[in-house]
Amino acid sequence: MSSKYPFETIEPKWQRYWKDHKTFRAVEDPKVPVERRAYILDMFPYPSAQGLHVGHPEGYTATDIYSRYLRMNGYNVLHPMGFDSFGLPAENYAIKTGTHPKATTEDNIDRFRKQIQSLGFSYDWDRELSTCQADYYQWTQWIFLQLFRRGLAYEAEAPINWCPSCKTGLANEEVKDGKCDRCGSEVTRKRIRQWILKITAYADRLLSDLDGLEWPESIKQMQRNWIGRSEGANVRFKLDGRSEEIEIFTTRADTLFGATYMVLSPEHSLVERITTDAQKASVMAYVEAASKKSDLERTDLAKDKTGVFTGAYAINPVNGAKIPVWISDYVLISYGFGAIMAVPAHDERDWEFAKKFGLPIVEVVAPSHSPEAKAAVEARADGKPEGAPPVLDTPAECTHEDGVAVNSGAFNGLPTRDAMREVVAMLAGKGIGESTVNFKLRDWIFSRQRYWGEPIPLVHCPKCGIVPLEEKDLPLRLPDVKSYTPTGTGESPLAAIESWVNTTCPKCGGPAKRETNTMPQWAGSSWYFLRYLDPKNGQALASKDKVDYWMPVNLYVGGAEHAVLHLLYARFWHKVLFDMGLVNTNEPFQRLINQGMILGENGVKMSKSLGNVINPDDIVREYGADSMRVYEMFMGPLEVSKPWNTKGLVGMNRFLERVWRLAEKPLDGGTPPDSLVKLLHKTIRKVTNDTATLNFNTAISQMMIFINEITGEERLYRSLWEPFVLMLSPFAPHLGEELWEKLGHGSSIAYQPWPKWDEALCVDEEVTVVVQVNGKLREKLQVAKDMGEEELKALALSKPKVQEFIGGKDIAKVIVVPGKLVSVVTK
RNA sequence: GCUGGCGUGGUGAAAUCGGCAGACACGAUAGACUCAAAAUCUAUUGGGGGCAACUCCGUACCGGUUCAAUUCCGGUCGCCAGCACCA
């Protein structure tokens, strides 16, 4: 009678063993060559009150299997875990319940750590960190000071997302579809004094360095779009009868002759000055209304263009035309100069606006094969481009396609690309424009008017201005407060603690006030992977030796939701640290993989409100951690989203039960049958290759095939069983250790050498060769693996079945792929 | 709208230097064991037709290249994700 697989006792037993023996402690052994060192990293979790979700262990299991596999292959592996613990959820909870966020955060971390440990991951827990601890955020503050010193942090008034109901500024990630994620109110804009990081100074490098990264193409593409580099030109337009100029950015300098009006963003600084008295009332009303609009109203819903004429006119520099200057909120203050030249014939937005307000539309680019284009090209060939016949009709539709310049004076007849270059050259010659590059990426609004974050280590001194703290005075500790409730004035709750706010200036010693904004949640996570390298270092964020030993991260696994925020911020900070000589690589994460989402059993996203959430604790209790691990890896490729299915999990549990029952047979030291030896070697080959490439689902399937085969045997051969247990152990580590111990070994399986396969034993002596006649499969041949082409052809043609389908027709050709197929084609 | 990705049995999926479509698992059906159930084991399981040997169809849809297409190319439709007036 066989016993049930006792995961309830095995799993805690080995977890205790690993902890007591510090089995997975990583040590910087200089004897290990660089190519045998591996830094395998998970995106660390935010420890929420809900506890772990089944989605978390998916990526963690993948990196764990890979880490264990690498250790067994002689690698020195760094595989750490920690907690991203500053941020709004803890603070919101504190506001609601009056519990200190530190207390709830610590509770949550304890819970998370326990849950993570219950899954048997091989982390080096001696390196655990938490971003809200002073000995960690001391270095987050230190990095901020370096950014400040290098001119990469500046103070400015900037409009931020503001929730009028929660009375607080919101981070971008807390705004969903223009609404507050917490209360559902529409988010408005509020201008508040902000600390901003100059990430745009690194835009070019953040873009070009993507090319060298082994990241999913989709993530690289998302970052490219987000950075949004565009080449174009700046052009300055004179105002009619005034000294000011309007400067604009355009990617289509070639359409300058078609610019029939200009539009300023309502927030543009010239608006007030250039508006004529007659227009003042309507312009001011429009500006006022625009400022009150939420983002949602200004973008999604604003399909219909709105705007007001300022009364002012600008001069089109190429043809001297007087063109009206309007204001409209379809022009964004935050991009380019917050002003545009409008070319309605060749820009959809300008087209809609011009149609609505009856503004002139002039075609300046004709489709390449149109008669207008041909006439312009001919005129140019004759040396008289300006003599090209004018195109007078208002175009029927707007097009941004390339073509040939028309209605463009000396530029008539030039193809779009040439016209762009020529027009810019002409503008540059006159000193009223030049080619330039613009980015969509904006500077990083870095301050939060919140309590639970890193205090910004600066003071405001009435004499000296903004003064950074001395590095020796770090960390600047977060003080205790009575109330975490946001003030609603745009000041953080810290502002109310006078004893903390009032301080002395580090420079002059006079009275000064502390900066009361705190850092966003993204600060701590922008460099945590460096602190794991040297988590107890009191002198530096990490010693250079340790950075050199481990960096860069060889494999980083986490959700795709961090494609642009965390992954872009971390790259930015890393490049700054690289420029300072503190890290050895330009990029932090060499290889990135996004695990897919685990959906609910009904195929939709797991969420509390849908009642389809699976709690990993229940799974571990009922089926064991190993079943959970193997199931999550068996579900499908790591990168794709797939629905949870508890039935499927039960199947994995059955597989492990079968393995356990097999182990209860007495071991046999004899030689197993050839066919099983061959299967073993094929299995080693497949599991090795698939594990190395993170194709865990097919590796598991091969192990199942192996088990199905050897289950039929009377005896359990040690020479088959030991290699199998070794291969299984990264996937089901508790069971692996237990079976290894049962095999009579004294030490952990974690560092045993990975089994090797013999290629000669993976080859079958006999293979199936299929015969096709006119593309259809008609016969199969069992032949020796190395049968030659001629022999195969003769054998195939000798088969009655094949002859039957040839049906006496002449043979046009026969294609033979030795070991695979014979394809007969008739005339 | 733009960008990226994906469409294969009842379900999760496997197979792509083009070469037996559906490995492995779930579910289902039938049987063995049992007083019975659970567990376990055995068999069948893409669809249609045939008593059967067998045969036809089948990888979202339409077309192309090829002796041969799930795989390559062009188009259409659908789904998912991200961005969204970026001049």
Side-chain angles (χ1 to χ4, degrees):
Chain A
M1 186 61 212
S2 60
S3 61
K4 189 183 162 301
Y5 157 50
F7 62 84
E8 304 91 332
T9 52
I10 289 177
E11 294 186 350
K13 168 182 162 185
W14 290 103
Q15 284 162 18
R16 208 171 314 117
Y17 176 96
W18 296 326
K19 196 175 177 190
D20 292 349
H21 291 76
K22 290 197 185 291
T23 306
F24 303 111
R25 197 159 63 107
V27 177
E28 291 80 8
D29 177 356
K31 290 196 295 293
V32 178
V34 174
E35 65 278 7
R36 287 264 152 189
R37 303 170 190 170
Y39 185 178
I40 311 300
L41 183 66
D42 290 295
M43 286 186 189
F44 66 167
Y46 181 88
S48 66
Q50 285 85 47
L52 222 57
H53 180 270
V54 285
H56 285 116
E58 189 191 11
Y60 302 166
T61 302
T63 54
D64 191 63
I65 291 169
Y66 190 57
S67 296
R68 287 173 181 272
Y69 165 79
L70 290 176
R71 285 190 201 99
M72 294 173 79
N73 279 281
Y75 282 76
N76 191 13
V77 176
L78 176 62
H79 188 41
M81 179 47 75
F83 302 96
D84 186 14
S85 50
F86 265 139
L88 283 163
E91 184 170 348
N92 290 340
Y93 187 75
I95 292 165
K96 226 194 296 178
T97 62
T99 337
H100 196 288
K102 193 176 168 69
T104 53
T105 299
E106 277 169 10
D107 287 351
N108 291 347
I109 288 176
D110 286 344
R111 168 119 187 266
F112 261 66
R113 191 190 301 107
K114 219 168 154 187
Q115 287 184 299
I116 290 171
Q117 287 175 344
S118 79
L119 288 158
F121 297 131
S122 61
Y123 295 120
D124 177 357
W125 286 103
D126 287 355
R127 294 174 186 257
E128 179 189 331
L129 57 81
S130 169
T131 56
C132 71
Q133 285 165 353
D135 62 353
Y136 180 88
Y137 70 70
Q138 165 179 5
W139 297 103
T140 311
Q141 292 172 331
W142 184 86
I143 294 170
F144 178 85
L145 289 182
Q146 310 312 312
L147 292 164
F148 179 77
R149 296 229 164 85
R150 310 189 124 231
L152 293 168
Y154 62 94
E155 195 183 22
E157 285 254 320
I160 59 154
N161 298 309
W162 180 260
C163 174
S165 153
C166 301
K167 293 189 181 133
T168 181
L170 298 176
N172 287 331
E173 65 274 16
E174 294 170 289
V175 183
K176 298 257 157 73
D177 295 325
K179 290 183 178 156
C180 173
D181 205 23
R182 204 151 43 115
C183 70
S185 326
E186 272 198 13
V187 170
T188 59
R189 293 255 142 196
K190 188 174 170 105
R191 285 186 81 86
I192 294 186
R193 183 185 60 85
Q194 295 282 339
W195 280 95
I196 299 175
L197 299 188
K198 207 183 260 176
I199 189 170
T200 51
Y202 281 75
D204 256 322
R205 281 166 67 188
L206 288 168
L207 183 67
S208 59
D209 290 343
L210 282 171
D211 294 339
L213 298 177
E214 300 161 58
W215 287 21
E217 202 45 50
S218 59
I219 301 287
K220 291 208 254 185
Q221 198 55 41
M222 276 161 81
Q223 291 214 349
R224 287 191 192 107
N225 293 344
W226 187 267
I227 295 167
R229 186 190 143 99
S230 62
E231 291 182 8
N234 293 340
V235 187
R236 290 171 287 279
F237 285 67
K238 284 202 161 54
L239 280 160
D240 185 38
R242 299 188 63 97
S243 58
E244 293 98 337
E245 290 179 327
I246 297 177
E247 185 158 24
I248 58 104
F249 171 75
T250 179
T251 54
R252 291 295 301 271
D254 65 297
T255 63
L256 195 44
F257 283 82
T260 53
Y261 64 101
M262 300 191 82
V263 187
L264 303 180
S265 154
E267 295 89 353
H268 197 282
S269 59
L270 278 178
V271 172
E272 202 169 338
R273 270 187 280 166
I274 65 170
T275 301
T276 58
D277 290 341
Q279 296 301 108
K280 201 129 234 161
S282 52
V283 167
M284 287 306 127
Y286 187 83
V287 169
E288 175 71 13
S291 74
K292 282 191 179 143
K293 275 192 190 174
S294 69
D295 268 14
L296 193 63
E297 289 167 314
R298 272 183 77 151
T299 57
D300 281 10
L301 303 178
K303 288 274 176 269
D304 208 21
K305 297 271 182 292
T306 58
V308 180
F309 178 45
T310 61
Y313 288 87
I315 306 296
N316 186 328
V318 288
N319 57 14
K322 255 178 82 172
I323 58 176
V325 179
W326 286 61
I327 64 168
S328 171
D329 63 8
Y330 84 90
V331 174
L332 307 175
I333 186 64
S334 49
Y335 187 75
F337 296 97
I340 61 156
M341 67 175 198
V343 184
H346 305 291
D347 182 288
E348 287 286 347
R349 299 152 298 179
D350 298 343
W351 171 268
E352 277 177 42
F353 193 83
K355 283 277 174 196
K356 176 153 179 190
F357 294 105
L359 292 157
I361 299 172
V362 175
E363 183 175 359
V364 290
V365 182
S368 298
H369 299 293
S370 63
E372 293 82 1
K374 281 187 185 132
V377 170
E378 272 165 33
R380 182 162 205 88
D382 293 344
K384 292 179 194 137
E386 278 150 331
V391 180
L392 297 174
D393 294 340
T394 298
E397 55 185 19
C398 169
T399 172
H400 59 265
E401 304 278 304
D402 282 11
V404 172
V406 295
N407 286 339
S408 297
F411 302 94
N412 281 339
L414 281 175
T416 296
R417 298 291 130 183
D418 296 344
M420 279 180 188
R421 202 180 48 241
E422 297 287 317
V423 171
V424 173
M426 182 272 288
L427 293 170
K430 289 188 181 172
I432 54 170
E434 59 279 321
S435 64
T436 186
V437 172
N438 231 315
F439 292 94
K440 230 166 92 175
L441 181 70
R442 300 186 200 152
D443 279 341
W444 176 7
I445 293 182
F446 193 69
S447 39
R448 297 290 179 267
Q449 298 69 45
R450 290 299 209 133
Y451 170 70
W452 191 235
E454 301 85 346
I456 292 177
L458 298 173
V459 301
H460 298 263
C461 170
K463 264 190 241 155
C464 315
I466 293 158
V467 183
L469 292 193
E470 302 274 335
E471 288 173 15
K472 68 175 169 53
D473 294 329
L474 297 180
L476 169 60
R477 286 173 192 276
L478 192 57
D480 278 331
V481 290
K482 287 199 186 69
S483 165
Y484 319 101
T485 314
T487 57
T489 58
E491 289 281 359
S492 104
L494 292 178
I497 310 175
E498 294 205 2
S499 60
W500 186 82
V501 171
N502 293 312
T503 183
T504 52
C505 171
K507 211 179 198 173
C508 70
K513 286 191 185 296
R514 289 197 192 281
E515 171 62 53
T516 56
N517 280 313
T518 53
M519 300 190 201
Q521 200 180 334
W522 308 108
S525 59
S526 290
W527 73 282
Y528 74 108
F529 47 93
L530 293 171
R531 189 61 178 175
Y532 282 138
L533 306 175
D534 201 1
K536 310 261 178 339
N537 194 329
Q539 307 307 310
L541 57 88
S543 80
K544 190 73 198 318
D545 288 356
K546 296 193 170 171
V547 170
D548 287 343
Y549 190 92
W550 293 112
M551 285 298 285
V553 172
N554 299 92
L555 175 65
Y556 194 24
V557 175
E561 67 273 20
H562 297 298
V564 280
L565 297 168
H566 161 60
L567 287 171
L568 199 61
Y569 297 152
R571 292 180 63 220
F572 164 46
W573 279 30
H574 202 76
K575 285 182 189 302
V576 176
L577 297 175
F578 178 72
D579 291 350
M580 292 172 65
L582 295 174
V583 295
N584 57 339
T585 57
N586 200 6
E587 285 285 336
F589 315 121
Q590 186 51 38
R591 185 171 173 211
L592 172 76
I593 290 187
N594 296 119
Q595 86 268 21
M597 250 195 301
I598 293 188
L599 308 168
E601 294 207 78
N602 49 0
V604 297
K605 204 172 162 173
M606 270 192 201
S607 87
K608 233 192 208 164
S609 58
L610 290 166
N612 61 353
V613 174
I614 304 284
N615 181 348
D617 290 345
D618 299 339
I619 303 298
V620 169
R621 197 179 320 110
E622 252 184 276
Y623 303 98
D626 285 339
S627 295
M628 164 106 174
R629 293 170 56 116
V630 176
Y631 172 61
E632 288 209 1
M633 294 302 101
F634 185 73
M635 287 170 83
L638 184 58
E639 298 88 340
V640 309
S641 294
K642 51 243 158 192
W644 178 269
N645 178 357
T646 299
K647 289 268 175 54
L649 172 89
V650 173
M652 291 309 109
N653 183 255
R654 277 208 280 266
F655 167 62
L656 298 180
E657 290 272 5
R658 259 203 304 280
V659 170
W660 179 258
R661 280 199 304 273
L662 260 177
E664 294 189 327
K665 287 189 190 174
L667 272 181
D668 188 311
T671 309
D674 277 0
S675 64
L676 291 181
V677 173
K678 280 184 179 253
L679 178 64
L680 172 71
H681 283 264
K682 284 186 199 167
T683 300
I684 296 172
R685 183 172 65 179
K686 180 141 182 77
V687 174
T688 304
N689 291 337
D690 288 355
T691 307
T693 52
L694 312 180
N695 294 112
F696 303 122
N697 53 335
T698 47
I700 293 165
S701 137
Q702 183 64 38
M703 287 192 275
M704 288 174 165
I705 293 170
F706 179 79
I707 286 301
N708 290 346
E709 283 302 316
I710 68 166
T711 301
E713 286 295 304
E714 289 289 307
R715 299 188 275 185
L716 181 68
Y717 298 95
R718 178 180 276 269
S719 63
L720 296 178
W721 189 242
E722 275 199 0
F724 170 77
V725 170
L726 287 165
M727 282 188 281
L728 179 69
S729 69
F731 293 83
H734 311 89
L735 182 57
E737 291 278 15
E738 187 70 19
L739 297 178
W740 191 246
E741 191 183 61
K742 280 183 83 156
L743 277 163
H745 299 286
S747 59
S748 166
I749 197 170
Y751 293 92
Q752 297 302 317
W754 186 258
K756 304 237 176 313
W757 76 89
D758 178 349
E759 194 63 46
L761 288 171
C762 293
V763 182
D764 287 316
E765 295 308 317
E766 281 221 324
V767 291
T768 306
V769 170
V770 300
V771 184
Q772 294 181 351
V773 179
N774 291 329
K776 295 211 178 202
L777 177 70
R778 297 303 181 188
E779 181 63 291
K780 294 181 184 184
L781 311 172
Q782 278 297 325
V783 299
K785 67 171 194 295
D786 46 8
M787 183 180 274
E789 281 194 33
E790 285 309 312
E791 217 179 329
L792 274 171
K793 179 176 169 180
L795 181 63
L797 291 175
S798 74
K799 292 286 175 185
K801 195 81 178 288
V802 175
Q803 281 302 330
E804 182 195 326
F805 282 97
I806 291 171
K809 287 191 243 43
D810 286 344
I811 291 168
K813 66 172 154 176
V814 179
I815 294 137
V816 182
V817 182
K820 287 247 158 132
L821 94 163
V822 178
S823 181
V824 182
V825 189
T826 63
K827 278 185 183 150

